[in-house]
Amino acid sequence: MKILTVVGARPQFIKAAAVSNIIRKHHSEILVHTGQHYDENMSKVFFEELNIPKPDYNLGVGSGSHGKQTGTMLIKLEEVYEKEKPDFVLVYGDTNSTLAGALCASKLLIPVAHVEAGLRSFNMEMPEEQNRVLTDHISNILFVPTKSAEKNLKDEGIKKGVYNVGDVMFDAILNFKKLARSRSEIIEELDLEGKEYILTTIHRAENTDHIDKLSNIVGALNECGKTVVLPLHPRTRKYMLNYGLEFSENVKVTDPVGYLEMINLEMNSQKIVTDSGGVQKEAFFMRKPCITMREETEWVETVENGWNKIVGTDREKILDAVLNFIPSREQKNIFGDGSASSKILEILDKR
Ligand code: UD1
Ligand code: UDP
């Protein structure tokens, strides 16, 4: 079977690292990078560190408005699909690359498989929610990571082709944890050995694109009285400059780091404060208290289980959680057993 996989943004490279190498044992895979993320530390580092096969195509789409970015992807993907004639198109997550990959296939009547289907924030103002809902409704095979994702699809009338396989990011952590411990020197480089610190990431458009929200977040981190480590997403760096916002000395700002470095930073942290989807899950995998600077989350089980606290962007709420939040319960198994990628392969084989 010929499977064409579309990736484009950082979290998709990590998910593909778990799935592609397994798929390639049995099938031929054409890997297409849309070029949505293109800085070395947002793209190349993952392919190198995680041994992801070199993309067969890099469409070089780059940054732009939603319409321009997604539209350019559609035009370029169509040429590749027409040439390669895949049996399946595989997409991950909820970015503009996901939607373009799925929509282009659907129009050409090529079956679409969506990994990380069924997630919902029920906030249609998020570009990610628009991408997820649309992608799910044109997908033929929907690999959901959690029970709540399965239920979300059922509530929208999607019942056929839905498989709860667990979370491929859990596979990725299990695959790469050991390598991260032995290879990454980030803890020494940032002089963090034996020190308590909060690990933070910020990049969600609903936070970065509003000066009041970003100011609150920056203010809370500056005032929390703890060492904060912040690998800064380029989007956030751009908006910080535009708004004239600055971090104080307790916040160690770095460029985005590779996945192995990130795993190490997570493993050694005291708490994680984030607005990322993937990092919320990784906090759970690492048994670290997570504080989520959003009004809602798609990863509801982490909250129900007492390991994730939703605080929005209120400065006092962030500060209070950074200082006082302690998970209340033992962890339940939410994300499967770390064999999501093999299950995906089995199901694709049967189809
Ligand atoms: C995208 C996804 C988001 C995902 C995130 C992962 C969409 C709509 N959003 O958000 O769901 O959580 O990726 O990180 O698809 N930039 C660079 N270099 C890069 C990439 C981006 O400088 O390599 C800057 C550009 O100024 C760009 C901005 O970051 O305009 C935003 O990039 P974009 O890919 O549009 O969205 P993300 O915020 O990265
Ligand atoms: N990540 C990374 N380096 C960083 C920040 C994040 O490797 O500097 C990883 C992180 O460990 C997780 C993934 O990127 O696996 C999450 O991606 P991101 O937060 O960009 O997007 P989201 O998951 O919110 O879509």
Side-chain angles (χ1 to χ4, degrees), residues 108-129:
L108 294 174
L109 306 181
I110 303 167
V112 178
H114 184 202
V115 176
E116 218 175 65
L119 276 298
R120 296 291 181 269
S121 64
F122 302 102
N123 174 3
M124 270 304 247
E125 285 185 15
M126 287 178 75
E128 292 85 0
E129 184 78 353

PDB file of all heavy atoms in Angstrom, residues 108-129:
ATOM      1  N   LEU A 108      -9.979  14.814  -4.126  1.00  0.00           N
ATOM      2  CA  LEU A 108      -9.516  13.886  -5.178  1.00  0.00           C
ATOM      3  C   LEU A 108     -10.003  12.459  -4.918  1.00  0.00           C
ATOM      4  O   LEU A 108      -9.552  11.515  -5.569  1.00  0.00           O
ATOM      5  CB  LEU A 108      -7.979  13.905  -5.253  1.00  0.00           C
ATOM      6  CG  LEU A 108      -7.339  15.211  -5.722  1.00  0.00           C
ATOM      7  CD1 LEU A 108      -5.817  15.141  -5.604  1.00  0.00           C
ATOM      8  CD2 LEU A 108      -7.733  15.542  -7.154  1.00  0.00           C
ATOM      9  N   LEU A 109     -10.883  12.309  -3.925  1.00  0.00           N
ATOM     10  CA  LEU A 109     -11.460  11.013  -3.541  1.00  0.00           C
ATOM     11  C   LEU A 109     -10.403  10.011  -3.077  1.00  0.00           C
ATOM     12  O   LEU A 109     -10.538   8.810  -3.269  1.00  0.00           O
ATOM     13  CB  LEU A 109     -12.300  10.419  -4.680  1.00  0.00           C
ATOM     14  CG  LEU A 109     -13.404  11.328  -5.229  1.00  0.00           C
ATOM     15  CD1 LEU A 109     -14.183  10.620  -6.329  1.00  0.00           C
ATOM     16  CD2 LEU A 109     -14.354  11.800  -4.137  1.00  0.00           C
ATOM     17  N   ILE A 110      -9.340  10.546  -2.462  1.00  0.00           N
ATOM     18  CA  ILE A 110      -8.335   9.665  -1.843  1.00  0.00           C
ATOM     19  C   ILE A 110      -8.716   9.531  -0.369  1.00  0.00           C
ATOM     20  O   ILE A 110      -8.957  10.548   0.303  1.00  0.00           O
ATOM     21  CB  ILE A 110      -6.913  10.280  -1.953  1.00  0.00           C
ATOM     22  CG1 ILE A 110      -6.551  10.546  -3.409  1.00  0.00           C
ATOM     23  CG2 ILE A 110      -5.878   9.381  -1.271  1.00  0.00           C
ATOM     24  CD1 ILE A 110      -5.311  11.423  -3.610  1.00  0.00           C
ATOM     25  N   PRO A 111      -8.816   8.305   0.159  1.00  0.00           N
ATOM     26  CA  PRO A 111      -9.200   8.151   1.569  1.00  0.00           C
ATOM     27  C   PRO A 111      -8.218   8.843   2.525  1.00  0.00           C
ATOM     28  O   PRO A 111      -7.015   8.860   2.266  1.00  0.00           O
ATOM     29  CB  PRO A 111      -9.169   6.632   1.787  1.00  0.00           C
ATOM     30  CG  PRO A 111      -9.156   6.033   0.435  1.00  0.00           C
ATOM     31  CD  PRO A 111      -8.587   7.028  -0.515  1.00  0.00           C
ATOM     32  N   VAL A 112      -8.777   9.414   3.586  1.00  0.00           N
ATOM     33  CA  VAL A 112      -7.970  10.159   4.555  1.00  0.00           C
ATOM     34  C   VAL A 112      -7.987   9.433   5.900  1.00  0.00           C
ATOM     35  O   VAL A 112      -9.043   9.036   6.391  1.00  0.00           O
ATOM     36  CB  VAL A 112      -8.558  11.576   4.770  1.00  0.00           C
ATOM     37  CG1 VAL A 112      -7.753  12.345   5.821  1.00  0.00           C
ATOM     38  CG2 VAL A 112      -8.611  12.350   3.465  1.00  0.00           C
ATOM     39  N   ALA A 113      -6.803   9.272   6.488  1.00  0.00           N
ATOM     40  CA  ALA A 113      -6.713   8.762   7.859  1.00  0.00           C
ATOM     41  C   ALA A 113      -6.207   9.894   8.744  1.00  0.00           C
ATOM     42  O   ALA A 113      -5.199  10.537   8.435  1.00  0.00           O
ATOM     43  CB  ALA A 113      -5.742   7.577   7.908  1.00  0.00           C
ATOM     44  N   HIS A 114      -6.940  10.157   9.834  1.00  0.00           N
ATOM     45  CA  HIS A 114      -6.592  11.278  10.721  1.00  0.00           C
ATOM     46  C   HIS A 114      -6.139  10.737  12.082  1.00  0.00           C
ATOM     47  O   HIS A 114      -6.916  10.114  12.787  1.00  0.00           O
ATOM     48  CB  HIS A 114      -7.817  12.200  10.892  1.00  0.00           C
ATOM     49  CG  HIS A 114      -7.527  13.414  11.709  1.00  0.00           C
ATOM     50  ND1 HIS A 114      -8.508  14.135  12.351  1.00  0.00           N
ATOM     51  CD2 HIS A 114      -6.367  14.044  11.991  1.00  0.00           C
ATOM     52  CE1 HIS A 114      -7.951  15.149  12.991  1.00  0.00           C
ATOM     53  NE2 HIS A 114      -6.661  15.114  12.800  1.00  0.00           N
ATOM     54  N   VAL A 115      -4.880  11.012  12.400  1.00  0.00           N
ATOM     55  CA  VAL A 115      -4.346  10.607  13.706  1.00  0.00           C
ATOM     56  C   VAL A 115      -4.549  11.769  14.677  1.00  0.00           C
ATOM     57  O   VAL A 115      -4.187  12.898  14.370  1.00  0.00           O
ATOM     58  CB  VAL A 115      -2.830  10.278  13.604  1.00  0.00           C
ATOM     59  CG1 VAL A 115      -2.264   9.941  14.984  1.00  0.00           C
ATOM     60  CG2 VAL A 115      -2.588   9.144  12.638  1.00  0.00           C
ATOM     61  N   GLU A 116      -5.079  11.473  15.840  1.00  0.00           N
ATOM     62  CA  GLU A 116      -5.467  12.462  16.869  1.00  0.00           C
ATOM     63  C   GLU A 116      -6.803  13.101  16.480  1.00  0.00           C
ATOM     64  O   GLU A 116      -7.007  14.311  16.603  1.00  0.00           O
ATOM     65  CB  GLU A 116      -4.384  13.518  17.066  1.00  0.00           C
ATOM     66  CG  GLU A 116      -4.209  13.932  18.513  1.00  0.00           C
ATOM     67  CD  GLU A 116      -3.047  14.903  18.726  1.00  0.00           C
ATOM     68  OE1 GLU A 116      -3.106  16.031  18.214  1.00  0.00           O
ATOM     69  OE2 GLU A 116      -2.084  14.503  19.398  1.00  0.00           O
ATOM     70  N   ALA A 117      -7.712  12.247  16.046  1.00  0.00           N
ATOM     71  CA  ALA A 117      -9.054  12.721  15.676  1.00  0.00           C
ATOM     72  C   ALA A 117      -9.912  12.884  16.934  1.00  0.00           C
ATOM     73  O   ALA A 117      -9.594  12.348  17.999  1.00  0.00           O
ATOM     74  CB  ALA A 117      -9.702  11.698  14.744  1.00  0.00           C
ATOM     75  N   GLY A 118     -10.982  13.644  16.795  1.00  0.00           N
ATOM     76  CA  GLY A 118     -12.008  13.698  17.845  1.00  0.00           C
ATOM     77  C   GLY A 118     -11.759  14.671  18.979  1.00  0.00           C
ATOM     78  O   GLY A 118     -12.603  14.809  19.855  1.00  0.00           O
ATOM     79  N   LEU A 119     -10.612  15.342  18.961  1.00  0.00           N
ATOM     80  CA  LEU A 119     -10.350  16.299  20.041  1.00  0.00           C
ATOM     81  C   LEU A 119     -11.213  17.540  19.838  1.00  0.00           C
ATOM     82  O   LEU A 119     -11.385  17.986  18.705  1.00  0.00           O
ATOM     83  CB  LEU A 119      -8.874  16.712  20.034  1.00  0.00           C
ATOM     84  CG  LEU A 119      -7.886  15.804  20.761  1.00  0.00           C
ATOM     85  CD1 LEU A 119      -8.260  15.754  22.233  1.00  0.00           C
ATOM     86  CD2 LEU A 119      -7.835  14.409  20.214  1.00  0.00           C
ATOM     87  N   ARG A 120     -11.751  18.074  20.900  1.00  0.00           N
ATOM     88  CA  ARG A 120     -12.578  19.280  20.801  1.00  0.00           C
ATOM     89  C   ARG A 120     -12.328  20.203  21.989  1.00  0.00           C
ATOM     90  O   ARG A 120     -12.281  19.746  23.130  1.00  0.00           O
ATOM     91  CB  ARG A 120     -14.080  18.918  20.792  1.00  0.00           C
ATOM     92  CG  ARG A 120     -14.552  18.107  19.592  1.00  0.00           C
ATOM     93  CD  ARG A 120     -14.529  18.906  18.292  1.00  0.00           C
ATOM     94  NE  ARG A 120     -15.015  18.116  17.179  1.00  0.00           N
ATOM     95  CZ  ARG A 120     -14.232  17.361  16.373  1.00  0.00           C
ATOM     96  NH1 ARG A 120     -12.920  17.337  16.542  1.00  0.00           N
ATOM     97  NH2 ARG A 120     -14.768  16.657  15.397  1.00  0.00           N
ATOM     98  N   SER A 121     -12.219  21.504  21.680  1.00  0.00           N
ATOM     99  CA  SER A 121     -12.198  22.502  22.759  1.00  0.00           C
ATOM    100  C   SER A 121     -13.565  23.170  22.858  1.00  0.00           C
ATOM    101  O   SER A 121     -13.844  23.879  23.796  1.00  0.00           O
ATOM    102  CB  SER A 121     -11.146  23.576  22.465  1.00  0.00           C
ATOM    103  OG  SER A 121     -11.508  24.279  21.282  1.00  0.00           O
ATOM    104  N   PHE A 122     -14.406  22.941  21.844  1.00  0.00           N
ATOM    105  CA  PHE A 122     -15.722  23.578  21.704  1.00  0.00           C
ATOM    106  C   PHE A 122     -15.594  25.095  21.635  1.00  0.00           C
ATOM    107  O   PHE A 122     -16.494  25.826  22.025  1.00  0.00           O
ATOM    108  CB  PHE A 122     -16.674  23.127  22.829  1.00  0.00           C
ATOM    109  CG  PHE A 122     -16.839  21.635  22.828  1.00  0.00           C
ATOM    110  CD1 PHE A 122     -16.168  20.847  23.747  1.00  0.00           C
ATOM    111  CD2 PHE A 122     -17.615  21.013  21.848  1.00  0.00           C
ATOM    112  CE1 PHE A 122     -16.275  19.463  23.717  1.00  0.00           C
ATOM    113  CE2 PHE A 122     -17.728  19.627  21.809  1.00  0.00           C
ATOM    114  CZ  PHE A 122     -17.058  18.859  22.749  1.00  0.00           C
ATOM    115  N   ASN A 123     -14.453  25.550  21.136  1.00  0.00           N
ATOM    116  CA  ASN A 123     -14.219  26.980  20.934  1.00  0.00           C
ATOM    117  C   ASN A 123     -13.860  27.169  19.464  1.00  0.00           C
ATOM    118  O   ASN A 123     -12.709  27.004  19.065  1.00  0.00           O
ATOM    119  CB  ASN A 123     -13.084  27.439  21.861  1.00  0.00           C
ATOM    120  CG  ASN A 123     -12.681  28.868  21.598  1.00  0.00           C
ATOM    121  OD1 ASN A 123     -13.280  29.549  20.753  1.00  0.00           O
ATOM    122  ND2 ASN A 123     -11.673  29.336  22.310  1.00  0.00           N
ATOM    123  N   MET A 124     -14.882  27.481  18.661  1.00  0.00           N
ATOM    124  CA  MET A 124     -14.670  27.561  17.208  1.00  0.00           C
ATOM    125  C   MET A 124     -13.867  28.800  16.799  1.00  0.00           C
ATOM    126  O   MET A 124     -13.556  28.976  15.624  1.00  0.00           O
ATOM    127  CB  MET A 124     -16.009  27.515  16.464  1.00  0.00           C
ATOM    128  CG  MET A 124     -16.447  26.101  16.111  1.00  0.00           C
ATOM    129  SD  MET A 124     -15.200  25.204  15.146  1.00  0.00           S
ATOM    130  CE  MET A 124     -16.026  25.033  13.600  1.00  0.00           C
ATOM    131  N   GLU A 125     -13.515  29.660  17.778  1.00  0.00           N
ATOM    132  CA  GLU A 125     -12.646  30.791  17.423  1.00  0.00           C
ATOM    133  C   GLU A 125     -11.192  30.344  17.277  1.00  0.00           C
ATOM    134  O   GLU A 125     -10.367  31.069  16.744  1.00  0.00           O
ATOM    135  CB  GLU A 125     -12.757  31.885  18.487  1.00  0.00           C
ATOM    136  CG  GLU A 125     -14.067  32.630  18.339  1.00  0.00           C
ATOM    137  CD  GLU A 125     -14.204  33.798  19.287  1.00  0.00           C
ATOM    138  OE1 GLU A 125     -13.196  34.223  19.881  1.00  0.00           O
ATOM    139  OE2 GLU A 125     -15.339  34.273  19.416  1.00  0.00           O
ATOM    140  N   MET A 126     -10.884  29.141  17.791  1.00  0.00           N
ATOM    141  CA  MET A 126      -9.510  28.643  17.642  1.00  0.00           C
ATOM    142  C   MET A 126      -9.306  28.097  16.230  1.00  0.00           C
ATOM    143  O   MET A 126     -10.101  27.259  15.789  1.00  0.00           O
ATOM    144  CB  MET A 126      -9.261  27.459  18.598  1.00  0.00           C
ATOM    145  CG  MET A 126      -9.127  27.798  20.039  1.00  0.00           C
ATOM    146  SD  MET A 126      -8.906  26.265  20.961  1.00  0.00           S
ATOM    147  CE  MET A 126      -7.206  25.837  20.568  1.00  0.00           C
ATOM    148  N   PRO A 127      -8.242  28.501  15.542  1.00  0.00           N
ATOM    149  CA  PRO A 127      -7.994  27.916  14.216  1.00  0.00           C
ATOM    150  C   PRO A 127      -7.867  26.399  14.291  1.00  0.00           C
ATOM    151  O   PRO A 127      -8.293  25.685  13.382  1.00  0.00           O
ATOM    152  CB  PRO A 127      -6.669  28.555  13.770  1.00  0.00           C
ATOM    153  CG  PRO A 127      -6.090  29.212  14.960  1.00  0.00           C
ATOM    154  CD  PRO A 127      -7.194  29.469  15.931  1.00  0.00           C
ATOM    155  N   GLU A 128      -7.317  25.910  15.405  1.00  0.00           N
ATOM    156  CA  GLU A 128      -7.126  24.458  15.555  1.00  0.00           C
ATOM    157  C   GLU A 128      -8.467  23.735  15.622  1.00  0.00           C
ATOM    158  O   GLU A 128      -8.599  22.637  15.088  1.00  0.00           O
ATOM    159  CB  GLU A 128      -6.321  24.137  16.822  1.00  0.00           C
ATOM    160  CG  GLU A 128      -4.867  24.579  16.794  1.00  0.00           C
ATOM    161  CD  GLU A 128      -4.664  26.033  17.205  1.00  0.00           C
ATOM    162  OE1 GLU A 128      -5.665  26.726  17.516  1.00  0.00           O
ATOM    163  OE2 GLU A 128      -3.499  26.479  17.210  1.00  0.00           O
ATOM    164  N   GLU A 129      -9.460  24.348  16.281  1.00  0.00           N
ATOM    165  CA  GLU A 129     -10.770  23.689  16.396  1.00  0.00           C
ATOM    166  C   GLU A 129     -11.432  23.619  15.009  1.00  0.00           C
ATOM    167  O   GLU A 129     -12.009  22.604  14.635  1.00  0.00           O
ATOM    168  CB  GLU A 129     -11.659  24.467  17.388  1.00  0.00           C
ATOM    169  CG  GLU A 129     -13.015  23.843  17.664  1.00  0.00           C
ATOM    170  CD  GLU A 129     -12.977  22.648  18.634  1.00  0.00           C
ATOM    171  OE1 GLU A 129     -11.882  22.205  19.001  1.00  0.00           O
ATOM    172  OE2 GLU A 129     -14.069  22.179  19.011  1.00  0.00           O
TER     173      GLU A 129
END
